[in-house]
């Protein structure tokens, strides 16, 4: 019997993504072969296998390659496969039926009836993605589609029992907000989310209704200045959702976002800096590099310095601040993103010691970094990225420039 994890991986993909995956796996098998062994119509055969996979025929990479070997062998003996174009084959699919069949392959798997939970939070999040893909093909609010949404939420609640008891809002730490917003509201309660109080339900609805355009603001409030935003109800959830929204701006491989928050005297939590992973083009006249990848933490630090001033940040804000770091997993889940070997000393160098970061299992991990040390600014792993981030913001950091000059002078001795 097909492993349920393989079925989940297929059910979480769009038809286009599945076509691409099937063809890529088949193409990969030729790398260790003589190119002459590849049949002229290999793409048509691969597309035929992709169509079967999309329509719900259970299989994984090894199965697709095996099917290809059989079909290409039949082709050699005279059983020709008609040419099938990728785009035409994709367009001919009944998309709704394809998504429903692949999801039902998972939901009907006997292993789900076992008492031991065999699914991870990411598996359940992938199935929620599949149910959203299905709902986008349903123009009539089919009760069957709503039933599938309820079923996949139930699976998520099995992997995160707190959703059905004390912490229903933890779902926002497991599944990305735009995906959750695509589900029918009734799927959450019918799927097992339980609200211990009216306040918790109000918070859930508040978070579910957040408009990402509200998170995409140019101005970050300085200390003592309240943000005139509808979502000023700050919590760990809003910080994660804001950092996740920032992460989507990134065009580099790892989509990270970060927000630096500070507790002001009137108990208002202020976001004092924000950042995301992105490339920064360097000045070749000043450096031997074409570009540098600015990590979200570094970008957020430079942003905070620009908006609040260097002395205010180093003397007052950073020592009391907390940074929230998010890494996106595709468009549906989250990944672990503790500060890397460059960002850890940079955070310590500027005095930010409290860190929260996402994980694949729907929890936020809290970190307390080791002793702060401004001397770490002299370390080029800290100084070079922060210098680039400051240059991008059009600002100077006296402490950084002094540390870099002293390090250069020591190198000459």
């Amino acid at each position: 019997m097909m492993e349920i994890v393989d079925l989940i991986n297929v059910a979480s993909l769009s038809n286009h993504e599945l076509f691409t995956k099937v063809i890529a796996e088949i193409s990969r098998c030729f790398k260790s072969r003589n190119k002459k062994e590849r049949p002229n119509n290999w793409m048509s055969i691969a597309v035929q296998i992709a169509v079967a996979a999309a329509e719900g025929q259970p299989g994984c990479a090894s199965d697709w390659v095996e099917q290809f070997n059989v079909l290409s062998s039949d082709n050699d003996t005279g059983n020709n496969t008609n040419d099938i174009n990728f785009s035409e084959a994709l367009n001919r699919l009944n998309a709704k039926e394809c998504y429903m069949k692949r999801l039902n392959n998972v939901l009907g798997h006997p292993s789900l009836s076992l008492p031991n939970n065999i699914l991870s939070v990411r598996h359940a999040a992938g199935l929620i993605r599949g149910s959203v893909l299905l709902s986008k093909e349903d123009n009539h609010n089919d009760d069957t589609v709503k039933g599938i949404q309820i079923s996949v939420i139930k699976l998520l609640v099995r992997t995160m029992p707190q959703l059905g008891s004390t912490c229903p809002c933890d779902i926002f730490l497991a599944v990305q907000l735009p995906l959750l917003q695509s589900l029918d509201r009734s799927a959450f309660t019918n799927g097992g989310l339980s609200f211990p109080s009216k306040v918790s339900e109000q918070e859930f609805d508040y978070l579910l209704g957040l408009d990402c355009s509200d998170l995409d603001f140019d101005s970050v409030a300085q200390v003592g200045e309240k943000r005139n935003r509808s979502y000023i109800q700050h919590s760990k959830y809003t910080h994660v959702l804001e950092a996740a929204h920032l992460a989507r701006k990134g065009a580099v491989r790892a989509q990270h976002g970060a927000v630096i928050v500070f507790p002001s005297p009137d108990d208002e939590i202020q976001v004092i800096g924000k950042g995301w992973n992105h490339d920064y083009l360097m000045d070749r006249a000043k450096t031997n590099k074409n570009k540098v990848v600015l990590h979200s933490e570094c970008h957020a630090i430079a942003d905070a310095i620009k908006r609040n001033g260097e002395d205010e940040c180093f003397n007052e804000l950073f020592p009391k601040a907390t940074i929230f770091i998010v890494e996106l997993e595709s468009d549906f889940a989250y990944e672990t993103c503790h500060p890397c070997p460059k960002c850890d000393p940079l955070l310590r160098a500027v005095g930010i010691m409290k860190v929260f970061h996402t994980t694949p299992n729907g929890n936020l991990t809290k970190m307390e970094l080791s002793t702060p040390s401004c001397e770490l600014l002299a370390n080029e792993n800290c100084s070079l990225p922060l210098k680039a981030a400051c240059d991008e913001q059009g600002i100077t950091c006296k402490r950084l420039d002094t540390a870099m000059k002293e390090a250069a002078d020591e190198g000459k001795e």
Side-chain angles (χ1 to χ4, degrees):
M1 180 176 290
M2 178 63 58
E3 293 288 338
I4 190 170
V5 172
D6 294 323
L7 295 176
I8 291 172
N9 291 337
V10 169
S12 66
L13 299 175
S14 70
N15 289 329
H16 189 282
E17 290 167 340
L18 181 54
F19 264 47
T20 303
K21 183 176 179 63
V22 170
I23 292 170
E25 293 292 347
I26 292 172
S27 177
R28 191 174 293 118
C29 78
F30 290 116
K31 290 185 177 181
S32 59
R33 302 182 184 180
N34 188 319
K35 287 186 178 181
K36 293 181 179 180
E37 296 180 10
R38 179 185 295 190
N40 293 331
N41 64 338
W42 79 271
M43 177 61 80
S44 296
I45 300 173
V47 169
Q48 180 180 335
I49 296 168
V51 168
E55 291 179 339
Q57 178 177 304
C60 59
S62 59
D63 298 316
W64 301 329
V65 172
E66 183 178 348
Q67 292 168 26
F68 178 85
N69 291 335
V70 171
L71 290 174
S72 59
S73 176
D74 289 345
N75 186 67
D76 290 339
T77 60
N79 297 323
N80 292 327
T81 303
N82 294 328
D83 286 342
I84 304 177
N85 177 276
F86 182 110
S87 298
E88 290 180 357
L90 190 62
N91 291 333
R92 289 175 187 172
L93 292 174
N94 183 324
K96 178 180 175 180
E97 292 298 324
C98 288
Y99 292 130
M100 190 172 295
K101 176 61 176 176
R102 300 204 301 268
L103 285 164
N104 282 328
N105 284 344
V106 177
L107 298 175
H109 198 278
S111 63
L112 290 183
S113 62
L114 298 176
N116 294 331
N117 188 17
I118 61 172
L119 298 184
S120 68
V121 170
R122 182 172 293 175
H123 290 149
L127 291 175
I128 291 175
R129 183 181 195 258
S131 75
V132 169
L133 291 169
L134 169 60
S135 67
K136 290 180 179 179
E137 301 296 334
D138 176 46
N139 298 321
H140 306 289
N141 294 317
D142 192 332
D143 287 342
T144 304
V145 174
K146 292 181 180 178
I148 288 178
Q149 291 185 358
I150 292 170
S151 296
V152 296
I153 291 293
K154 285 181 178 179
L155 291 178
L156 181 62
V157 173
R158 281 180 60 181
T159 65
M160 298 178 67
Q162 71 269 29
L163 299 181
S165 56
T166 57
C167 303
C169 290
D170 279 4
I171 195 172
F172 297 103
L173 306 179
V175 185
Q176 292 183 38
L177 178 62
L179 211 60
L180 295 174
Q181 291 175 327
S182 299
L183 297 176
D184 189 86
R185 172 62 175 82
S186 63
F188 297 103
T189 48
N190 292 334
L193 260 70
S194 177
F195 303 102
S197 67
K198 188 65 176 177
V199 172
S200 68
E201 185 171 10
Q202 289 173 344
E203 182 181 22
F204 175 86
D205 288 330
Y206 167 77
L207 294 169
L208 187 65
L210 281 180
D211 186 345
C212 283
S213 63
D214 281 343
L215 300 176
D216 191 16
F217 55 90
D218 291 328
S219 61
V220 176
Q222 296 178 343
V223 174
E225 173 191 356
K226 294 185 178 181
R227 289 195 290 174
N228 185 22
R229 297 284 167 179
S230 60
Y231 72 105
I232 203 167
Q233 302 173 21
H234 290 286
S235 68
K236 64 180 180 181
Y237 302 114
T238 55
H239 299 325
V240 167
L241 296 180
E242 185 167 3
H245 182 66
L246 293 170
R248 296 184 187 101
K249 295 173 176 282
V252 294
R253 287 190 298 272
Q255 290 185 292
H256 287 200
V259 292
I260 304 173
V261 302
F262 174 81
S264 62
D266 58 358
D267 293 328
E268 284 288 343
I269 299 295
Q270 306 291 341
V271 175
I272 61 172
K274 60 178 183 176
W276 59 91
N277 280 19
H278 64 282
D279 288 335
Y280 172 63
L281 298 179
M282 306 288 284
D283 185 349
R284 289 287 294 179
K286 299 179 181 179
T287 177
N288 60 354
K289 291 185 176 182
N290 288 319
K291 64 181 180 181
V292 62
V293 177
L294 294 181
H295 289 189
S296 60
E297 300 95 314
C298 182
H299 187 203
I301 289 169
D303 183 62
I305 293 173
K306 177 181 181 179
R307 298 180 186 280
N308 299 281
E310 177 184 347
D311 290 340
E312 181 73 5
C313 282
F314 278 84
N315 296 333
E316 300 294 335
L317 305 184
F318 288 161
K320 299 177 183 178
T322 300
I323 187 167
F324 286 78
I325 313 168
V326 165
E327 179 177 353
L328 305 182
E329 170 64 24
S330 183
D331 61 356
F332 64 95
Y334 295 104
E335 185 54 271
T336 299
C337 56
H338 53 75
C340 72
K342 291 184 178 180
C343 291
D344 183 299
L346 176 58
L347 291 170
R348 291 167 53 207
V350 302
I352 299 176
M353 309 306 297
K354 298 178 182 178
V355 177
F356 284 92
H357 67 78
T358 53
T359 66
N361 59 12
N363 293 325
L364 273 183
T365 294
K366 181 180 180 180
M367 295 179 63
E368 293 280 352
L369 302 184
S370 57
T371 308
S373 175
C374 195
E375 288 75 18
L376 288 170
L377 284 176
N379 184 322
E380 66 176 15
N381 285 334
C382 299
S383 61
L384 295 182
L386 184 56
K387 177 62 175 175
C390 289
D391 288 345
E392 181 185 50
Q393 298 283 354
I395 60 174
T396 59
C397 177
K398 296 178 295 183
R399 290 168 175 80
L400 175 61
D401 291 343
T402 299
M404 293 181 70
K405 183 177 183 305
E406 290 175 353
D409 292 341
E410 289 179 5
K412 294 177 182 179
E413 295 177 358

